[in-house]
Amino acid sequence: AALTALSLVAIAAPAFADTGAVTTPVSSTTSTTGVTFNAPTNPLALDSATDFYFGVNEIDGKTTDFKALTETDSSKSNSQASPLVAFHDLDGVSTNYTISATASGLSGLNSSTITLGGATFSNISGNGATDTSALADVSTSHTLTNQPQVLVTFGTVSGYYADKFSDATLTVPVADQAAGNHTGTITWDLTVAP
């Protein structure tokens, strides 16, 4: 019986009684905390731009427009993701910028032009960021020439973005279509607007 009574007392008693008294430390020391952030090497820059390949085509005497097809057309020789240009702005400065493109023309196809469809914007910064309200497409269609064509304007933004164009079309007059491989370049520029 005595053991039983002792057990009940032990169960009922708290393991650590809260007396409200403040315990005085026997010894103390401090440690430091800190972090360093370096400014980004290129706070404002273009990150990548799509290559354009308009496929293998037979000269038929009538077709003049050739599309750089999107990834949904996977059975086609010129299948690729929708054309896009990606950039970032990490400096947080309230400035207006433009993205422009200049096409060299394709070798041996002097009258050829490349036209990009309208742009849609994605915020690819991660961590749930979605805002693209400061970005604007200047037109629903952009014909590239040997002079810079402004495609996109944007104001104060911070993060990583992608501008995806709905399509890309190469136009070559029938009279200029010549057998063989033809290559060219598109130069993309990110510029601080005046």
Side-chain angles (χ1 to χ4, degrees):
L3 282 176
T4 302
L6 181 59
S7 296
L8 290 174
V9 171
I11 291 170
F16 298 98
D18 182 5
T19 63
V22 176
T23 306
T24 303
V26 207
S27 176
S28 295
T29 188
T30 58
S31 59
T32 59
T33 60
V35 66
T36 301
F37 293 106
N38 293 323
T41 305
N42 294 306
L44 178 65
L46 292 171
D47 297 317
S48 63
T50 302
D51 290 331
F52 296 84
Y53 180 59
F54 297 94
V56 177
N57 304 281
E58 184 173 342
I59 299 173
D60 63 7
K62 60 182 180 181
T63 305
T64 58
D65 292 341
F66 308 91
K67 286 198 177 290
L69 300 182
T70 63
E71 59 191 0
T72 56
D73 303 302
S74 58
S75 64
K76 304 298 177 93
S77 63
N78 50 337
S79 177
Q80 64 181 38
S82 296
L84 63 82
V85 59
F87 72 96
H88 67 264
D89 180 3
L90 305 177
D91 62 9
V93 177
S94 298
T95 311
N96 293 322
Y97 308 97
T98 63
I99 294 176
S100 61
T102 307
S104 69
L106 277 73
S107 59
L109 304 176
N110 296 330
S111 298
S112 65
T113 59
I114 294 175
T115 303
L116 302 179
T120 55
F121 307 105
S122 299
N123 187 324
I124 54 175
S125 304
N127 297 319
T130 58
D131 184 30
T132 58
S133 59
L135 287 81
D137 188 2
V138 300
S139 176
T140 56
S141 179
H142 312 274
T143 300
L144 306 185
T145 69
N146 60 1
Q147 297 298 314
Q149 303 296 308
V150 174
L151 310 178
V152 175
T153 62
F154 58 100
T156 305
V157 295
S158 182
Y160 291 81
Y161 299 88
D163 303 340
K164 182 171 74 172
F165 299 94
S166 58
D167 57 25
T169 304
L170 170 68
T171 302
V172 186
V174 170
D176 287 349
Q177 294 177 21
N181 296 322
H182 306 278
T183 59
T185 59
I186 297 175
T187 300
W188 302 82
D189 293 305
L190 192 157
T191 306
V192 177

